[in-house]
């Protein structure tokens, strides 16, 4: 049983950096054939994939945020992080971390669609992050 838990500040000021940590329990970030993702749901909108990091440390970013996103992992703590720079109120959302099995059909460069998001088998409970001054 894999559990994921998001943590970080719930309020971020515009133009600042949104930073979150996903702690993973019951699974190892370096175990072959899994990727670890950041996904968000803005109010009234669909889930949006932001980025993922693989079991080997490769990273993939959504074209919609690739210019201002960074995903890292700390294998000693079995955690991975999200850093979203220069945020605006449009970045207000519930942020999730999740795991997805490796699949050659995942379209990393063009972004993950809803059907691919549904492949994620474990999800955190989500954390509300509001961007406001």
């Amino acid at each position: 049983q894999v559990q994921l838990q998001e943590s970080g500040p719930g309020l971020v000021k515009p133009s600042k950096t949104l930073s979150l940590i996903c702690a993973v329990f019951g699974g190892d970030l370096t175990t072959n054939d899994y990727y670890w993702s950041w996904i968000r749901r803005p109010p009234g909108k669909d889930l949006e994939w932001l980025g993922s990091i693989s079991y080997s440390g490769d990273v993939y970013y959504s074209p919609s945020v690739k210019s201002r996103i960074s995903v890292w992992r700390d294998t000693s703590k079995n955690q991975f992080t999200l850093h979203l720079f220069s945020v605006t109120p449009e970045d207000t959302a519930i942020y999730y971390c999740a795991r997805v099995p490796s699949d050659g059909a995942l379209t990393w460069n063009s972004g993950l669609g809803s059907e691919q998001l549904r492949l994620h088998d474990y999800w955190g409970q989500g954390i509300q992050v509001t961007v406001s001054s």
Side-chain angles (χ1 to χ4, degrees):
Q1 181 76 24
V2 176
Q3 293 182 315
L4 302 92
Q5 185 175 81
E6 306 89 348
S7 63
L11 180 64
V12 182
K13 293 184 177 181
S15 81
K16 302 301 183 181
T17 298
L18 185 161
S19 296
L20 299 174
I21 296 172
C22 181
V24 178
F25 306 93
D28 195 315
L29 291 175
T30 64
T31 298
N32 286 355
D33 300 331
Y34 292 102
Y35 295 74
W36 306 85
S37 299
W38 286 103
I39 300 159
R40 70 181 179 185
R41 186 191 293 276
K45 298 182 179 180
D46 294 333
L47 290 170
E48 178 188 14
W49 172 71
L50 299 174
S52 301
I53 186 165
S54 79
Y55 56 91
S56 61
D58 298 322
V59 293
Y60 308 91
Y61 299 134
S62 169
S64 66
V65 295
K66 63 181 180 181
S67 65
R68 58 189 185 98
I69 189 174
S70 181
V71 176
W72 298 89
R73 68 178 182 174
D74 184 340
T75 56
S76 68
K77 297 180 179 179
N78 210 39
Q79 299 174 339
F80 64 106
T81 61
L82 168 69
H83 304 280
L84 189 64
F85 314 114
S86 301
V87 298
T88 73
E90 286 68 45
D91 293 308
T92 294
I94 300 174
Y95 285 76
Y96 301 90
C97 55
R99 187 187 80 167
V100 62
S102 179
D103 189 335
L106 295 170
T107 55
W108 300 110
N109 292 329
S110 60
L112 302 187
S114 59
E115 292 300 322
Q116 294 170 332
L117 291 178
R118 292 175 64 87
L119 297 176
H120 287 74
D121 53 1
Y122 289 97
W123 295 68
Q125 67 181 12
I127 182 171
Q128 173 70 45
V129 180
T130 299
V131 178
S132 176
S133 60

